[in-house]
Amino acid sequence: MIQVGFILSIVATVIATFPTTLVYQSPTGLFLENIAVRPCSKLLLTSALSPALHMLDPSSANTTFDEVYSFPNASALFGIIEYQPDVYAVVTANAQSILQTHRVNPGSIAIWRVDFRLKTPIVTPIAGIPQSTLINGLSSVPGHPDLVLAADSGLGAVYEITMSTGAVRIAIQDAAMAPGAPAPALGINGLHIHGSALYFTNSQQGTFARIPIAVQSKGVSKAGAVLVLSTVEPPGLPHRYDDFTFDADGRAWVTAHPGALTLLYPLTNGTWAQENAAGDPEGSYAVFMEPTSATFGRGVNKKILYVTTEGGQVVSVDASGK
Ligand SMILES: *[C@@H]1O[C@H](CO)[C@@H](O)[C@H](O)[C@H]1NC(C)=O
Ligand SMILES: *[C@@H]1O[C@H](CO)[C@@H](O)[C@H](O)[C@H]1NC(C)=O
Ligand SMILES: *[C@@H]1O[C@H](CO)[C@@H](O)[C@H](O)[C@H]1NC(C)=O
């Protein structure tokens, strides 16, 4: 009886709600960490196991994974975000034991600007964050094109980086962003501003949460208490939320380890619901092998989500159906 119930639940959950297509599979299974979509629709991809930023054209019949730039003194790239048109912030670090420790080598984190507005990208170091043990996701700050927010998964905090000056300060630190036990776990992972709030995932705590923020001349600050909107399903490791993106309707598409994409959306009474959008929340790699980040395409692809995975996949999800 138990076995039959188990099989039925697996069958029920592997049926993808939204159609998926494998856009690219790294032949070496290179761990893909984060993604940005350029105005020209090409994808920029980071890897936690490579110092190189790669570019991929998802609409090409024979998609190639092209190195754009290899960062010096780094073994890993983490978050990437477009903070001005075709200008990106990228997190780099030396992190040879990242898979075992979830931490980078002490003092090795840097934030770089990658400017694609000219034919040859201009790459500039902006700031170090030597006190951090892991900077994970990045967010732009709408209306403030000089600011970038960075999630510190070890400290449980959000840094604000002024990209023109390299000034770095802790903007928000909160227990809801902290990793908790057992160390060294990942606390706050993805973060994105939507409306007048900062939304974030906490991998160890299994939560998707929101904190109201204010952006004034002194920068970003908290303007209220954290509200947890959703908890990963099924609960407990290895199930954990990773990075996410918002759609035009204010719904969040959240990558969920080991193998799913979860759609989170507000109900009319203000609480949030979740449903499986693609893949298998129970854990098989039917569609995604440890999904890490998601973002929407541009132009004709604006309802296509691109999802990266630790297994070296770029998977597109056709989100136009609902
Ligand atoms: C794609 O690449 C394969 C292998 O190199 C080749 O056989 C095929 O013709 C290519 N297809 C297109 C559309 O270029
Ligand atoms: C490389 O990074 C280390 C910290 O990981 C730092 O001590 C060293 O100065 C850096 N070297 C260069 C050339 O930037
Ligand atoms: C909000 O609405 C949902 C769906 O109708 C319901 O399940 C939930 O209990 C409601 N929550 C509150 C706090 O009213």
Side-chain angles (χ1 to χ4, degrees), residues 73 94 105-108:
N73 209 11
N94 266 308
N105 303 358
S108 71

Side-chain angles (χ1 to χ4, degrees), residues 228-242:
V228 172
L229 302 170
S230 177
T231 303
V232 71
E233 281 177 7
L237 296 175
H239 312 283
R240 58 189 170 88
Y241 293 140
D242 206 314

Side-chain angles (χ1 to χ4, degrees), residues 10-317:
I10 293 288
V11 169
T13 52
V14 291
I15 296 166
T17 308
F18 293 86
T20 61
T21 305
L22 181 65
V23 174
Y24 178 74
Q25 169 68 64
S26 161
T28 59
L30 181 68
F31 184 131
L32 298 178
E33 167 65 12
N34 218 295
I35 186 169
V37 180
R38 295 189 54 204
C40 67
S41 290
K42 290 182 181 173
L43 312 181
L44 294 172
L45 299 159
T46 67
S47 169
L49 296 179
S50 167
L53 180 64
H54 285 89
M55 187 152 66
L56 181 156
D57 183 354
S59 59
S60 161
N62 267 351
T63 304
T64 55
F65 185 65
D66 302 324
E67 182 174 318
V68 175
Y69 183 77
S70 188
F71 289 87
N73 209 11
S75 70
L77 310 182
F78 298 98
I80 180 168
I81 196 76
E82 183 184 33
Y83 68 95
Q84 286 173 13
D86 224 8
V87 181
Y88 305 82
V90 179
V91 181
T92 72
N94 266 308
Q96 282 78 9
S97 54
I98 185 72
L99 297 187
Q100 293 77 42
T101 64
H102 292 159
R103 294 293 182 269
V104 307
N105 303 358
S108 71
I109 292 177
I111 308 291
W112 295 70
R113 174 174 62 223
V114 183
D115 182 346
F116 274 96
R117 288 174 298 182
L118 297 175
K119 202 164 184 180
T120 306
I122 299 170
V123 183
T124 315
I126 299 299
I129 312 184
Q131 65 277 26
S132 174
T133 58
L134 180 59
I135 296 291
N136 207 318
L138 297 179
S139 176
S140 59
V141 182
H144 298 266
D146 200 21
L147 298 181
V148 165
L149 301 183
D152 187 320
S153 299
L155 185 61
V158 174
Y159 290 94
E160 176 195 275
I161 301 128
T162 304
M163 295 299 288
S164 60
T165 64
V168 176
R169 56 177 273 270
I170 290 179
I172 302 169
Q173 187 168 7
D174 195 285
M177 298 172 173
L186 298 171
I188 183 172
N189 190 320
L191 79 173
H192 297 284
I193 293 176
H194 183 75
S196 55
L198 177 70
Y199 292 75
F200 61 92
T201 52
N202 183 315
S203 292
Q204 179 72 19
Q205 296 191 26
T207 49
F208 175 78
R210 166 177 87 200
I211 182 165
I213 56 165
V215 192
Q216 289 152 338
S217 56
K218 63 176 173 23
V220 175
S221 58
K222 70 161 112 178
V226 170
L227 184 62
V228 172
L229 302 170
S230 177
T231 303
V232 71
E233 281 177 7
L237 296 175
H239 312 283
R240 58 189 170 88
Y241 293 140
D242 206 314
D243 210 340
F244 62 96
T245 194
F246 276 97
D247 67 17
D249 298 324
R251 303 179 301 180
W253 299 75
V254 185
T255 56
H257 293 268
L261 180 70
T262 304
L263 179 58
L264 302 183
Y265 52 97
L267 301 172
T268 48
N269 65 11
T271 64
W272 282 57
Q274 66 177 304
E275 61 186 63
N276 183 44
D280 178 10
E282 300 291 341
S284 83
Y285 289 162
V287 179
F288 307 109
M289 296 171 64
E290 309 287 351
T292 48
S293 66
T295 195
F296 279 97
R298 295 256 178 115
V300 293
N301 293 327
K302 70 176 187 222
K303 295 209 164 162
I304 302 291
L305 264 173
Y306 297 103
V307 178
T308 53
T309 75
E310 291 181 13
Q313 303 164 305
V314 177
V315 178
S316 69
V317 180

